[in-house]
């Protein structure tokens, strides 16, 4: 293997973006002496990324390797640290922060501004500022390679068994509803119908929608409005907190280099709203055998894991999944 250099082309994750960082050991087409190792933090794209890396290896006659963290892994930094200490550390790796790998704590990343490859520089220059992994002196350490969207998945088939009329229009109105109180009223009405069978009419985005007169089909399977992954800290520590922080900081680097309470004092209102939103949502949770309240069942990995929440959603125990 060629001598490993700290070249970091980072795979970065800012709010809803994941970026690529490099710390290279692959170089020429040297008959297999070079080695490209891609460390991937996004399990959702494991197969296509592996295919791309293998194709690159064949085209350039070099050995390649990919390692992908499974979805929801919470000890990714520990695994990555172990790989950095190996005889063949990653050439390209994913990171959502400058912590651990950036210039102030390890310097495993290559500043793209100092790379000779004109095409790579051109690509980096075209990345919007909010999606870059930048340091305080203007260095650029990452290229986005994955986009994530946060939001609710709604079981359309259950929706059809809950309401009279055009549920496609209802779904469109739920997406377009600008008033948070109206959204809350909709959730409360669904919860009351699930628990008590109370028929009512709710207004969503200015349009009325009425529950069916009697529970039928999949609506009878519902145990709550939302299915949640309470045992997975990343769902509300990482994902949810992006919403209020994005109202203050331009990107993850701005948050990283903020001093003292810089920015945080400006985010207090947004953070309070986030907490209220979580509190509201967690008050209408569905479990496998009934409604779930915050407590042991909420944080137990057997009942509150991501896999458990998906299983409940597939079994139509809740109308929506975050």
């Amino acid at each position: 293997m060629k001598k490993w250099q700290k070249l970091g082309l980072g795979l970065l994750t800012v709010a809803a973006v994941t970026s690529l960082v490099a710390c290279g050991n692959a170089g020429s087409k040297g008959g297999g002496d070079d080695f490209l190792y891609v460390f991937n933090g996004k399990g959702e794209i494991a197969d296509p990324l592996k295919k791309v890396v293998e194709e690159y290896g064949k085209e350039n006659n070099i050995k390649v390797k990919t390692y992908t963290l499974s979805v929801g892994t919470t000890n990714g930094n520990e695994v990555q640290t172990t790989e950095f200490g190996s005889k063949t550390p990653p050439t390209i790796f994913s990171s959502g922060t400058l912590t651990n790998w950036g210039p102030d704590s390890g310097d495993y990343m290559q500043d793209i501004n100092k790379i000779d490859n004109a095409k790579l520089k051109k690509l980096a220059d075209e990345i919007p500022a909010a999606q870059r992994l930048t340091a305080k002196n203007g260095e650029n350490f990452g290229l986005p390679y994955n986009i994530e969207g946060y939001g609710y998945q709604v079981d359309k088939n259950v929706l059809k068994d809950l309401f009279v009329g055009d549920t496609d229009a209802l779904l469109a109105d739920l997406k377009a509803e600008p008033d948070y109180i109206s959204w809350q009223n909709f959730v409360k009405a669904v919860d009351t119908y699930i628990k008590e069978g109370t028929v009512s009419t709710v207004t969503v985005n200015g349009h009325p929608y009425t529950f069916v007169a009697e529970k039928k089909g999949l609506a009878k399977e519902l145990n709550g409005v939302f299915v949640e992954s309470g045992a997975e800290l990343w769902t509300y520590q990482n994902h949810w907190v992006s919403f209020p922080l994005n109202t203050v900081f331009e990107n993850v680097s701005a948050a990283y280099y903020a001093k003292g309470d810089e920015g945080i004092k400006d985010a207090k209102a947004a953070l309070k709203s986030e907490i209220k939103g979580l509190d509201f949502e967690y008050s209408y949770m569905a479990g496998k055998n009934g409604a779930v309240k915050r407590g042991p069942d909420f944080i137990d990995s057997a009942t509150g894991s991501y896999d458990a929440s998906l299983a409940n959603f597939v079994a139509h125990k809740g109308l929506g999944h975050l």
Side-chain angles (χ1 to χ4, degrees):
M1 183 186 112
K2 300 282 186 178
K3 183 179 178 180
W4 180 56
Q5 304 152 355
K6 292 182 177 179
L7 157 108
L9 257 207
L11 290 170
L12 115 104
T13 306
V14 182
V17 182
T18 304
S19 271
L20 203 60
V21 183
C23 54
N25 52 21
S28 65
K29 302 176 183 179
D33 290 337
D34 291 330
F35 178 63
L36 173 65
Y37 176 9
V38 178
F39 186 99
N40 174 33
K42 301 302 298 179
E44 297 90 338
I45 63 170
D47 292 339
L49 184 61
K50 182 179 180 181
K51 182 179 180 181
V52 168
V53 172
E54 290 176 346
E55 289 177 353
Y56 181 86
K58 291 179 181 178
E59 290 176 3
N60 293 274
N61 190 28
I62 61 173
K63 296 178 181 179
V64 297
K65 172 186 175 181
T66 56
Y67 182 96
T68 298
L69 297 174
S70 58
V71 177
T73 298
T74 57
N75 65 337
N77 282 342
E78 297 176 16
V79 177
Q80 203 160 338
T81 298
T82 299
E83 293 302 297
F84 277 137
S86 69
K87 293 182 180 180
T88 55
T91 312
I92 298 175
F93 61 95
S94 59
S95 177
T97 175
L98 293 171
T99 304
N100 298 322
W101 326 117
D104 295 338
S105 53
D107 198 18
Y108 290 96
M109 299 180 183
Q110 172 67 47
D111 181 3
I112 297 174
N113 297 328
K114 298 179 181 178
I115 290 177
D116 294 331
N117 189 301
K119 290 183 178 180
L120 182 58
K121 279 188 175 182
K122 182 176 183 298
L123 175 62
D125 289 340
E126 292 173 351
I127 303 301
Q131 296 180 12
R132 299 180 186 180
L133 191 62
T134 55
K136 52 191 172 186
N137 295 321
E139 300 98 328
N140 185 3
F141 294 102
L143 293 174
Y145 80 118
N146 187 69
I147 300 293
E148 288 185 348
Y150 306 153
Y152 293 101
Q153 291 176 295
V154 178
D155 191 327
K156 293 176 64 175
N157 292 323
V158 176
L159 207 60
K160 291 178 180 179
D161 286 345
L162 276 174
F163 289 91
V164 177
D166 188 352
T167 50
D168 286 336
L170 170 56
L171 186 58
D173 279 336
L174 284 170
K175 293 179 180 179
E177 176 59 73
D179 182 55
Y180 185 58
I181 300 301
S182 295
W183 156 251
Q184 287 184 313
N185 290 338
F186 171 81
V187 172
K188 292 175 182 178
V190 173
D191 185 68
T192 300
Y193 184 80
I194 292 171
K195 294 177 178 177
E196 303 173 10
T198 303
V199 176
S200 63
T201 297
V202 291
T203 300
V204 182
N205 196 33
H207 300 123
Y209 295 94
T210 303
F211 288 93
V212 296
E214 186 176 347
K215 286 185 184 180
K216 64 177 183 178
L218 297 177
K220 295 191 292 184
E221 302 297 324
L222 290 171
N223 290 328
V225 182
F226 305 107
V227 291
E228 299 292 346
S229 309
E232 309 285 6
L233 297 181
W234 54 269
T235 58
Y236 43 91
Q237 280 190 349
N238 296 347
H239 287 22
W240 264 87
V241 80
S242 292
F243 298 126
L245 292 185
N246 277 344
T247 66
V248 178
F249 298 107
E250 181 181 6
N251 53 42
V252 69
S253 298
Y256 177 77
Y257 286 109
K259 297 180 179 179
D261 65 352
E262 181 185 346
I264 297 300
K265 59 183 179 182
D266 300 322
K268 281 186 177 180
L271 287 167
K272 288 180 179 179
S273 296
E274 179 214 3
I275 293 170
K276 290 180 180 179
L278 283 172
D279 179 68
F280 177 78
E281 183 177 323
Y282 290 164
S283 299
Y284 300 93
M285 294 186 293
K288 181 178 180 180
N289 300 312
V292 176
K293 295 182 179 180
R294 277 168 290 188
D297 288 341
F298 179 53
I299 60 175
D300 190 315
S301 60
T303 54
S305 68
Y306 186 68
D307 289 343
S309 70
L310 285 180
N312 287 332
F313 187 58
V314 170
H316 312 294
K317 300 304 179 183
L319 176 62
H321 182 267
L322 180 62

